[in-house]
Amino acid sequence: MTKLEQIRAAEAKLLLHTYDRNPILFVAGEGVHLIDENGTKYLDLLSGIGVNALGYAHPAIERAIAEQSRKLIHVSNLFYHEGQAELAQRLTERTGMDRVFFANTGTEAWEGAMKLARAHAGLLRREGKQIGTKFLAMEQSFHGRTFGSVSTTHKAKYREPFGPVVPGVEFVRFNDVEDLRSKFSNEVCAILVEAIQGEGGVRPISQEFFAEARKLADSTGALLIVDEIQAGMGRTGKWCAYQHYGIPQAPADRSSSVGWIRPDVTTLAKPLAGGIPLGAICCTEEAARAIHAGMHGTTFGGGPLACAVAIAVIDTIEKDGLLAHASEVGDYFMEELRKLARKHDTIVDVRGMGLMIGAELDSADLAKLAVAEMLKRRIVINVTSDTTLRFLPPYILERAQVNTAIAALDEIFTEHAAAFAGAHNSHAAGGPHRG
Ligand code: PLP
């Protein structure tokens, strides 16, 4: 039995069956490559589902872990340590928010943001405003696996086995302004969006919809909460994807000072500490009024090790110009995918921003096969929302590596697309868009 076979047998017997893993045993990583037990290198265009922003074995991360672990790995939130204020300073400056709460994961940050919205609405009610407790979430959304998160996650398979989930959530058709308007009222305590839906198929929010959400929330005091867990921390070429959305023409708008639509709350996680678990809720002073000592907390969140690594990640992104790099290489990647779409009809849409990219195919079966064929060619990608090939590479990706991926996809579609031609399926929404 190989080591991989031994591990597969042991996991099959010992673990809850929550994952269908690919039969590869990774033991190391280097730059944009993962390395398996036999020393074979894989080009990683997924970075652990959007986590390893600086790739693998980055010296800045290694240094931060080594130095901090020699000093202090954990101290409870009953005491101060050196990292939280320093990291919060960096995050508030870059997100345009005023205050931060540190959690451990994405879903935990999202739960906290939902609690903050309910607490904020409660405060407004005590101050005499009429505002309810309902959440408006989006169709195709994904916010995580804990109860609040699954309640606001659209796909039934994530919610229904665990019902009843948290009540008071209504789903709005994503980017449908009329649907948003018709479902919004002063019963709503928060509108919940991803600036780019990740699991939902790499779908950017529209300018019009986002601006309307901001306007509606402002009209009652409800919060606009933007989940940047997958899109944030530089992946799209800006610190947060919402910073791509300008303010229409609203000089008196509370966002006008920053030049882009400013949410009341945003959540970060995945790449925040370069692979060490860390999540964050960032919010405005107004939203933060709802929280006082003892209302919310965590044992591990914002520990010294995670904070030290997150500081190193942010400083490296800046020192190495990785926002501009992600934007430039991402544009190139999308251009090349659009060229490929002109050659292969099976690609019906290419979407994304920076290095958060989706290529939608007209067949779920072909999408699945393409991921497997890429893996055979030692390239890691995945499929989301059944038909969308998703690319979330480390920010250090270079054009040459994009070319490798494009050549592999070209070969795969040339070889296999004909077998799936005509098998258009209902998942492929929206017409061809080849940029
Ligand atoms: N929100 C978004 C947009 C995500 O993409 C994810 C994870 O994929 C989450 C929340 C949940 O994060 P985590 O898996 O760290 O709990």
Side-chain angles (χ1 to χ4, degrees):
M1 250 196 186
T2 65
K3 195 165 176 194
L4 172 61
E5 284 164 352
Q6 283 170 30
I7 289 173
R8 287 184 82 179
E11 284 203 0
K13 194 165 148 233
L14 296 169
L15 298 190
L16 278 190
H17 184 197
T18 51
Y19 305 110
D20 283 325
R21 302 191 205 277
N22 291 293
I24 300 175
L25 176 60
F26 285 124
V27 295
E30 205 178 86
V32 293
H33 292 98
L34 278 162
I35 300 164
D36 75 8
E37 56 177 331
N38 307 311
T40 306
K41 276 188 169 186
Y42 289 69
L43 174 59
D44 180 12
L45 299 182
L46 199 56
S47 62
I49 319 195
V51 169
N52 302 307
L54 301 184
Y56 298 93
H58 194 288
I61 293 185
E62 284 183 1
R63 205 177 313 117
I65 292 175
E67 282 173 11
Q68 189 57 46
S69 65
R70 277 196 293 268
K71 290 198 288 187
L72 187 66
I73 290 177
H74 174 78
V75 64
S76 75
N77 278 309
L78 298 175
F79 297 95
Y80 292 96
H81 67 76
E82 293 168 309
Q84 285 201 14
E86 197 181 331
L87 178 57
Q89 181 73 38
R90 280 170 176 69
L91 291 180
T92 51
E93 283 166 8
R94 285 158 187 79
T95 60
M97 300 285 104
D98 300 317
R99 289 181 181 267
V100 181
F101 172 84
F102 290 110
N104 299 282
T105 61
T107 197
E108 197 190 331
W110 190 250
E111 292 285 327
M114 290 178 65
K115 285 174 71 182
L116 179 57
R118 285 268 173 89
H120 181 255
L123 176 69
L124 293 188
R125 281 194 297 279
R126 288 196 296 283
E127 292 174 349
K129 267 207 166 164
Q130 282 219 325
I131 185 160
T133 57
K134 193 168 138 182
F135 292 106
L136 289 187
M138 299 299 131
E139 294 191 0
Q140 293 116 42
S141 60
F142 184 87
H143 299 294
R145 307 297 197 131
T146 49
F147 262 111
S149 298
V150 292
S151 310
T152 51
T153 287
H154 184 236
K155 235 183 213 163
K157 74 169 183 185
Y158 296 133
R159 276 182 292 122
E160 282 178 355
F162 308 105
V165 295
V166 176
V169 180
E170 188 171 12
F171 289 97
V172 170
R173 278 195 297 278
F174 188 55
N175 285 341
D176 183 333
V177 173
E178 279 316 309
D179 199 40
L180 176 65
R181 277 195 199 121
S182 72
K183 287 173 179 161
F184 187 82
S185 70
N186 63 5
E187 279 306 306
V188 172
C189 71
I191 302 175
L192 313 175
V193 298
E194 291 156 84
I196 306 179
Q197 291 190 327
E199 305 303 304
V202 192
R203 294 174 197 280
I205 197 167
S206 73
Q207 170 73 38
E208 193 195 1
F209 188 86
F210 198 21
E212 185 65 18
R214 176 69 281 169
K215 202 169 108 194
L216 290 170
D218 281 342
S219 71
T220 63
L223 300 182
L224 175 60
I225 305 185
V226 182
D227 182 341
E228 290 272 346
I229 288 162
Q230 192 167 134
M233 290 307 295
R235 172 157 298 285
T236 68
K238 291 191 188 278
W239 285 108
C240 291
Y242 57 74
Q243 291 163 338
H244 291 277
Y245 292 82
I247 297 158
Q249 42 349 58
D253 188 288
R254 65 168 121 151
S255 324
S256 58
S257 60
V258 288
W260 29 261
I261 296 175
R262 187 183 186 223
D264 301 293
V265 183
T266 192
T267 51
L268 302 169
K270 288 184 179 284
L272 179 53
I276 302 287
L278 182 64
I281 306 168
C282 306
C283 68
T284 59
E285 209 59 78
E286 166 58 29
R289 285 198 306 128
I291 296 292
H292 57 74
M295 278 175 78
H296 192 59
T298 158
T299 295
F300 289 112
L305 183 69
C307 286
V309 178
I311 290 166
V313 168
I314 292 171
D315 291 354
T316 303
I317 290 174
E318 249 152 32
K319 182 171 67 63
D320 294 351
L322 291 178
L323 294 185
H325 182 79
S327 178
E328 191 263 321
V329 177
D331 283 352
Y332 176 71
F333 204 153
M334 277 188 278
E335 247 171 61
E336 291 301 305
L337 282 169
R338 286 183 178 127
K339 276 189 209 159
L340 210 56
R342 286 193 279 275
K343 183 168 169 194
H344 299 284
D345 278 353
T346 191
I347 306 176
V348 294
D349 199 7
V350 174
R351 297 182 289 264
M353 278 186 205
L355 288 173
M356 181 166 182
I357 300 172
E360 184 170 338
L361 307 188
D362 61 359
S363 156
D365 290 337
L366 179 59
K368 216 165 143 190
L369 181 86
V371 172
E373 286 291 320
M374 287 291 268
L375 208 50
K376 278 192 202 160
R377 289 161 176 79
R378 314 284 179 244
I379 303 172
V380 179
I381 63 168
N382 87 336
V383 62
T384 186
S385 199
D386 298 323
T387 50
T388 302
L389 301 183
R390 180 170 49 170
F391 309 91
L392 298 169
Y395 307 171
I396 55 174
L397 189 76
E398 296 293 345
R399 280 177 178 232
Q401 290 145 355
V402 173
N403 294 341
T404 304
I406 295 289
L409 286 169
D410 191 12
E411 196 179 284
I412 291 164
F413 293 139
T414 303
E415 232 171 82
H416 298 281
F420 295 86
H424 290 236
N425 69 47
S426 57
H427 298 293
H433 167 73
R434 308 248 156 83

